[in-house]
Amino acid sequence: MDSAASARTGKGSRDENFPVASWLIADRHRPPIMAFYDFVRTADDVADHPELAPAEKLGLLDQLEAGLLGDDDREPAAVKLRSVLADHDLSPRHALDLLHAFRTDVTKLRYEDWDALMEYCSFSAMPVGRYVLDVHGESQALWPVNDALCAALQIINHLQDCGEDYQALDRIYVPLKDMRIAGVEISDLGQGQASPALLRCLSGLAVRTERLLDDANPFAWNIRDGRLSLEVGVIHSLALQLVQLLKHRDPLSQRVHIGKARAFGTMIAVLVGRTRFGRRNRVPGRRLPT
C-alpha cells in the first residue's frame, strides 16, 4: 500500500459517536473542520488497519505528516488540510499531535494506569477540541474544560470498544492497574460476555469519566460562538447518557450506543433549554477567564 488514502475504510463523520460539524456549526466554519476530520480519519484508519505491518503504518503516517508540512503531495487529505490551515492562518500543531497519538497506537498496546491514559488523551483527543476552538477564534482559556470533555469522549469510546480493540488489534486502553485491582484477566476482554470483575472495572472507569464530564460542565456555557456552544452542549449531554449506560451495561454483549432518534431528541432538548433559560445562568459562578 503506497498511500494512506488507500487504507480508508469508508467510515465517515456520520458513523461517529458524537456530532462532527453538525448543522449547528456555522457554514463558514464547517469546511476547515471537515478537512481536519478527513485528515484525522485517514490517519486513524492507517493506525487501525488489520493487514498493515507496524513499519508500513508508521511510514504512511510519516507520509501524511510530510504532506501536512508541505514536503510531499501524495496524500490528498494532507494537501487539503495544509491549504485550509494556510487560508485560515491556523497552526498544524493539533494535527501533528494527533499523528503522535496514531504512532503511539501502532507501537504501544497497553496503558498501566489512569495517568498514562490521560497522557495518551492529551495527544489523541484534546487537540481535536482545541482545533475547533481555534477555528472559531475562541480563547485558549477554554482549553482545560475542552480537555476534560475530549478526554471523557475518548475514554467512552475505549470502554465501548474494549472487546473489539483487544480481539482485532490486541490493544487495551483499560488501565492494567484497574484491571489488577478488580481481579480482571486480560483474556476476559476476549469473551462474549464480561465477567463480574470486568463489569466492576468498567463501571468504576465510567464513574471516573463522569468526573471528567463534571469538570467540563462550564465549557459550553463559556463559548462565545452561540452555535458552537450548542454543539458542545449536545455532545456533553450525549456523553453523560453514555456514561450512565456504561455504569450498568456490558459492552462485550450489549449495545452501548445512543441511537439517532435519541441523539436528535437530545439536540432538541438542549436547544429548548437554551431558549428557556439562557446560555450562561445555568452555571452560576463558573465563568471562565477570557
Side-chain angles (χ1 to χ4, degrees):
M1 192 174 293
D2 60 0
S3 78
S6 301
R8 287 294 298 265
T9 63
K11 184 176 180 180
S13 59
R14 294 182 181 275
D15 302 306
E16 301 293 346
N17 242 346
F18 302 99
V20 178
S22 78
W23 58 270
L24 289 174
I25 296 295
D27 288 345
R28 68 183 183 280
H29 295 314
R30 199 171 291 121
I33 294 174
M34 292 311 301
F36 187 82
Y37 173 81
D38 287 343
F39 177 84
V40 172
R41 180 77 262 159
T42 300
D44 194 14
D45 286 347
V46 167
D48 289 350
H49 199 287
E51 298 174 7
L52 291 175
E56 293 177 278
K57 293 180 179 182
L58 293 174
L60 291 176
L61 292 173
D62 288 345
Q63 198 163 288
L64 281 168
E65 179 173 319
L68 179 68
L69 298 178
D71 299 325
D72 192 306
D73 288 336
R74 284 177 291 176
E75 299 292 350
V79 173
K80 174 65 174 177
L81 181 58
R82 185 177 82 214
S83 175
V84 164
L85 295 178
D87 289 345
H88 292 79
D89 194 26
L90 294 167
S91 167
R93 169 186 175 181
H94 304 308
L96 292 171
D97 282 347
L98 282 153
L99 286 176
H100 174 89
F102 294 129
R103 291 186 180 102
T104 301
D105 283 337
V106 175
T107 59
K108 183 173 182 177
L109 301 177
R110 305 288 188 270
Y111 292 85
E112 175 58 26
D113 53 28
W114 183 264
D115 288 344
L117 191 58
M118 286 296 101
E119 173 67 15
Y120 170 74
C121 288
S122 72
F123 291 98
S124 69
M126 299 172 190
V128 176
R130 293 180 178 187
Y131 175 80
V132 174
L133 289 172
D134 284 356
V135 167
H136 285 78
E138 296 286 340
S139 169
Q140 291 188 9
L142 291 172
W143 282 16
V145 283
N146 163 81
D147 294 352
L149 177 60
C150 289
L153 303 183
Q154 179 75 87
I155 295 169
I156 286 169
N157 283 332
H158 290 334
L159 298 182
Q160 288 174 305
D161 299 338
C162 61
E164 183 180 343
D165 286 337
Y166 174 65
Q167 294 183 61
L169 299 165
D170 190 32
R171 218 182 267 161
I172 300 176
Y173 296 104
V174 179
L176 299 180
K177 181 178 179 180
D178 292 80
M179 292 175 65
R180 289 194 299 268
I181 291 172
V184 178
E185 299 290 337
I186 286 179
S187 59
D188 290 350
L189 291 167
Q191 305 304 311
Q193 184 173 346
S195 66
L198 180 56
L199 286 175
R200 287 195 302 273
C201 179
L202 298 180
S203 180
L205 291 168
V207 170
R208 296 183 79 169
T209 304
E210 188 174 36
R211 295 188 194 122
L212 285 173
L213 292 173
D214 288 343
D215 292 340
N217 271 334
F219 187 16
W221 310 98
N222 284 275
I223 295 172
R224 292 177 302 171
D225 185 282
R227 298 182 69 155
L228 179 60
S229 174
L230 287 169
E231 176 104 331
V232 170
V234 170
I235 291 171
H236 190 271
S237 182
L238 291 172
L240 285 170
Q241 294 175 55
L242 283 168
V243 162
Q244 296 309 312
L245 293 178
L246 285 164
K247 286 182 183 179
H248 307 290
R249 288 192 185 177
D250 172 10
L252 301 190
S253 64
Q254 296 176 290
R255 182 172 174 80
V256 189
H257 290 275
I258 302 295
K260 290 183 178 179
R262 186 171 175 181
F264 181 74
T266 297
M267 184 177 293
I268 296 302
V270 170
L271 288 169
V272 170
R274 296 298 181 88
T275 300
R276 288 186 62 193
F277 301 112
R279 198 152 64 91
R280 298 188 185 276
N281 57 7
R282 295 276 294 278
V283 201
R286 300 194 70 181
R287 290 286 297 277
L288 299 174
T290 57

